[in-house]
Amino acid sequence: MTRRTTIVVYAVGAVVLIGVLWWATWAWVQSPAASVQVRIDRAKASLDGRRRDLDRSEGIADGIEAITSRTLGSTVEAMDLALRSRLGELAEAAGVQDVRVGTSAPIVEASPGKREFKSRSLRALRDEPDFVLVPASITANGTWSQVGLLVESIQAESWPHRVTRIRLAGRNEGAKVEATVQLSALFVPGVGPAEAIELASPLSAVASLNLPNPFAMPLPPPRPAPPGPGPTTKPPPGWRVVHIGQVQGEGEVLLQSRKGKRRRMVIGDALNGITLVSIEPDPDGIDIATFAQAGLEWAVGAGEAIQRP
């Protein structure tokens, strides 16, 4: 064998040996170490996630306690009784009539993570309900202001609930309004306030009561006044009636002075010692106002002066 051939053989052998050593190092050392490092990184990430969950758990527990401490009860029976009683109190405070309160079968809401609890050891968590909703409704009749106060009072209650539907219908040509409020009250079974919660007083007024009644009949146009006296006749002194009618079930009389000033009177109001006593239709169905002064009464129609004849 020549010297050159010997060198080539040694070189090839060295390359093969280096390749074998590199493969052995990768297979026996580097690859297992990389696999172990991957498992370590995954375990660390899982541990960090669990620590974050534990850090947030205290705040979550406080939030749940803040909700459950304001519920009306911890059982279906206690919720049903307390819910009916509270809605009745709100209706009484609003002054509505013909009150009807009802509740429906409770609705159990399961955990949204139910599919994640697959193992047998987590069956209790999988089957445990998150919370229960008790549907309820109240129907009552009243004026526009009374009904508005009832609706706003229910929405302002502090116990966990959600108003799902409000239905309003006009009655008696808009003088009365029938309201139906549907809602759902929340509670967690077995978890609730340690003692009966102290509820706030019902609302006595709300800003939305200033809105006009959408069910009220529109005001009729004022009847034209009868032709006045001729130029040689002296006009009667004082105020004259320009309109007699009903607004939201309340009688009213509109007056106009000789100088063009206008004034509205309802039953019981007085002007210059003359009191509006009543508003009644005459045999022809036309509203006539009755005024009184010093124990005497007289009827006045549209276009006539309110002074005693």
Side-chain angles (χ1 to χ4, degrees), residues 111-118 126:
S111 171
K114 185 175 181 179
R115 295 181 178 178
E116 301 298 328
F117 304 140
K118 298 179 181 179
R126 182 174 65 245

Side-chain angles (χ1 to χ4, degrees), residues 18-304:
I18 292 173
V20 171
L21 291 176
W22 178 86
W23 176 85
T25 303
W26 178 84
W28 296 340
V29 179
Q30 293 181 351
S31 179
S35 179
V36 170
Q37 185 63 44
V38 169
R39 291 198 298 269
I40 292 174
D41 293 340
R42 290 177 179 175
K44 183 179 179 181
S46 177
L47 180 60
D48 292 341
R50 296 297 177 89
R51 286 174 176 171
R52 288 193 298 269
D53 291 341
L54 290 175
D55 293 339
R56 292 196 302 264
S57 63
E58 184 176 352
I60 295 174
D62 292 342
I64 294 175
E65 183 179 358
I67 295 175
T68 56
S69 63
R70 294 185 286 112
T71 58
L72 296 177
S74 58
T75 64
V76 174
E77 294 76 11
M79 281 290 299
D80 188 276
L81 178 61
L83 188 55
R84 288 174 177 268
S85 176
R86 185 55 178 173
L87 291 177
E89 292 177 2
L90 297 178
E92 182 179 359
V96 293
Q97 300 85 35
D98 302 330
V99 180
R100 301 184 298 278
V101 179
T103 54
S104 304
I107 302 172
V108 178
E109 295 291 343
S111 171
K114 185 175 181 179
R115 295 181 178 178
E116 301 298 328
F117 304 140
K118 298 179 181 179
S119 64
R120 184 173 298 178
S121 61
L122 298 177
R123 181 178 297 175
L125 293 176
R126 182 174 65 245
D127 298 336
E128 180 184 13
D130 267 13
F131 56 88
V132 178
L133 296 175
V134 179
S137 66
I138 179 172
T139 301
N141 293 315
T143 63
W144 176 245
S145 298
Q146 292 171 338
V147 165
L149 181 57
L150 174 63
V151 173
E152 295 288 349
S153 296
I154 294 175
Q155 291 179 327
E157 286 292 279
S158 61
W159 36 274
H161 69 291
R162 179 177 62 186
V163 175
T164 56
R165 186 186 183 200
I166 299 174
R167 177 182 177 274
L168 302 175
R171 298 289 184 266
N172 298 337
E173 297 184 350
K176 296 289 184 179
V177 179
E178 181 182 83
T180 299
V181 181
Q182 297 178 355
L183 64 144
S184 296
L186 178 148
F187 80 96
V188 178
V191 182
E195 56 186 14
I197 62 174
E198 183 177 353
L199 299 174
S201 301
L203 298 177
S204 58
V206 291
S208 62
L209 299 187
N210 296 327
L211 298 175
N213 181 0
F215 301 102
M217 297 294 291
L219 290 175
R223 296 187 181 92
T232 58
T233 305
K234 183 179 180 180
W239 297 78
R240 301 178 65 85
V241 175
V242 296
H243 171 70
I244 304 173
Q246 302 280 331
V247 177
Q248 297 186 10
E250 182 181 38
E252 70 168 9
V253 173
L254 299 181
L255 306 175
Q256 182 173 334
S257 69
R258 294 171 56 189
K259 296 182 179 181
K261 294 183 179 180
R262 287 180 172 268
R263 176 164 178 171
R264 177 178 180 266
M265 294 183 68
V266 298
I267 295 175
D269 288 350
L271 176 64
N272 298 333
I274 301 175
T275 303
L276 177 60
V277 177
S278 64
I279 296 175
E280 300 290 342
D282 62 8
D284 296 330
I286 300 175
D287 289 335
I288 298 295
T290 301
F291 292 88
Q293 185 181 34
L296 298 178
E297 296 184 357
W298 64 94
V300 177
E304 299 178 354

